[in-house]
Amino acid sequence: LAGVAFLAAGLWAWSEKGVLSDLTKVTGLHGLDPVVLVLVVGIVMFTLGFAGCVGALRENICLLKFFCGTIVFIFLLELAVAVMAFLFQDWVRDRVKEFFENNIKSYRDDIDLQNIIDSLQRINHCCGAQGPEDWDFNIYFDCKSESKSREKCGVPFSCCIPDPAQKVVNTQCGYDIRKKSKNQWDDQIFVKGCIHALEAWLPRNIYIVAGVFIAISLLQIFGIFLARTLISDIEAVKASNAF
């Protein structure tokens, strides 16, 4: 049911953005379309849920083996990603930087992506991948482009240091900020890049992150154990009936 809900939400979002009537919009976006992530999660959840539930109710060994095998694959994939991230930190940092820069390029192309970047910058008090100058990757904010965009040489409002006295968000607070000297940036916008902010956040919350991964891993191992136990019981019953 959760998988169906994710799929329904993803398809509704795509229909609202007109993607269902023109699928080329998916490939035309340079950055990440968050709806794709929702749909992938929905498909995986629905497939696993269907295989596990129907396999258990109908005592279908094929579906149960598929359920068990898929969870084992996901578990090993998570383990491999964690080990790779620990052993090849510089490579991971470069890929994250490249990923963030690609999404900056598509900031104005997709409203969902725009909201995610704004939330990330606002929550972590950061701006750009390495810093505010990364917004030159976006054609609307690029200082060197010949664009007549009003946002030229600026940053999104989510980079601005919030004013506690302001109850209404000033979406124009980042206009022309990068035309000023860098000494003046500190008073108006966040100058720390989001990659550095995330790197600083991880050590402070390492126990929470580790706890979440351990909890997910235990649930997966428990699911594998239950599936293997049920498969063994079904095979044992079939073997006894054969005699």
Side-chain angles (χ1 to χ4, degrees), residues 23-61:
L23 292 176
T24 57
K25 289 183 179 180
V26 179
T27 55
L29 184 67
H30 296 292
L32 170 70
D33 184 352
V35 178
V36 173
L37 188 60
V38 172
L39 288 171
V40 169
V41 171
I43 290 169
V44 172
M45 288 180 69
F46 175 77
T47 305
L48 281 175
F50 179 83
C53 288
V54 176
L57 289 171
R58 303 296 298 173
E59 296 186 350
N60 187 306
I61 291 178

Side-chain angles (χ1 to χ4, degrees), residues 9-235:
L11 292 172
W12 173 79
W14 263 4
S15 68
E16 288 293 304
K17 293 196 290 187
V19 175
L20 292 181
S21 58
D22 184 10
L23 292 176
T24 57
K25 289 183 179 180
V26 179
T27 55
L29 184 67
H30 296 292
L32 170 70
D33 184 352
V35 178
V36 173
L37 188 60
V38 172
L39 288 171
V40 169
V41 171
I43 290 169
V44 172
M45 288 180 69
F46 175 77
T47 305
L48 281 175
F50 179 83
C53 288
V54 176
L57 289 171
R58 303 296 298 173
E59 296 186 350
N60 187 306
I61 291 178
C62 289
L63 285 176
L64 288 172
K65 284 184 176 180
F66 171 79
F67 172 82
C68 185
T70 304
I71 294 182
V72 169
F73 173 75
I74 293 172
F75 176 75
L76 293 176
L77 188 63
E78 291 169 351
L79 197 61
V81 168
V83 171
M84 292 285 285
F86 179 76
L87 294 177
F88 304 100
Q89 294 181 20
D90 291 337
W91 182 86
V92 171
R93 190 179 293 108
D94 290 340
R95 298 289 76 75
V96 171
K97 178 176 176 289
E98 184 182 327
F99 175 75
F100 205 101
E101 288 172 354
N102 286 334
N103 285 300
I104 285 175
K105 291 177 185 176
S106 304
Y107 176 76
R108 287 296 186 207
D109 299 340
D110 185 88
I111 187 64
D112 295 323
L113 177 62
Q114 181 177 313
N115 289 334
I116 286 178
I117 293 176
D118 283 334
S119 298
L120 180 66
Q121 293 188 143
R122 205 165 46 239
I123 292 169
N124 292 285
H125 294 174
C126 59
C127 187
Q130 304 278 16
E133 291 176 323
D134 286 335
W135 282 99
D136 277 338
F137 288 110
N138 187 282
I139 190 172
Y140 296 101
F141 296 94
D142 186 7
C143 279
K144 298 181 289 293
S145 75
E146 297 180 1
S147 168
K148 295 183 179 180
S149 168
R150 183 62 189 87
E151 295 175 311
K152 183 177 179 179
C153 252
V155 292
F157 74 94
S158 53
C159 285
C160 296
I161 297 172
D163 183 355
Q166 262 186 352
K167 294 184 178 179
V168 179
V169 176
N170 179 11
T171 56
Q172 300 180 0
C173 60
Y175 283 13
D176 303 323
I177 185 65
R178 289 190 293 125
K179 288 181 180 178
K180 302 176 182 179
S181 65
K182 291 186 179 180
N183 295 331
Q184 297 177 285
W185 292 5
D186 291 353
D187 299 328
Q188 294 179 264
I189 62 171
F190 304 120
V191 294
K192 181 169 60 176
C194 289
I195 292 177
H196 300 305
L198 291 173
E199 286 177 344
W201 176 88
L202 189 58
R204 294 197 308 267
N205 298 273
I206 190 66
Y207 293 112
I208 296 174
V209 174
V212 169
F213 274 104
I214 289 171
I216 292 172
S217 299
L218 289 175
L219 284 171
Q220 290 173 331
I221 292 170
F222 186 58
I224 293 167
F225 169 75
L226 289 178
R228 289 306 311 171
T229 302
L230 185 54
I231 290 170
S232 298
D233 290 346
I234 294 170
E235 288 177 341

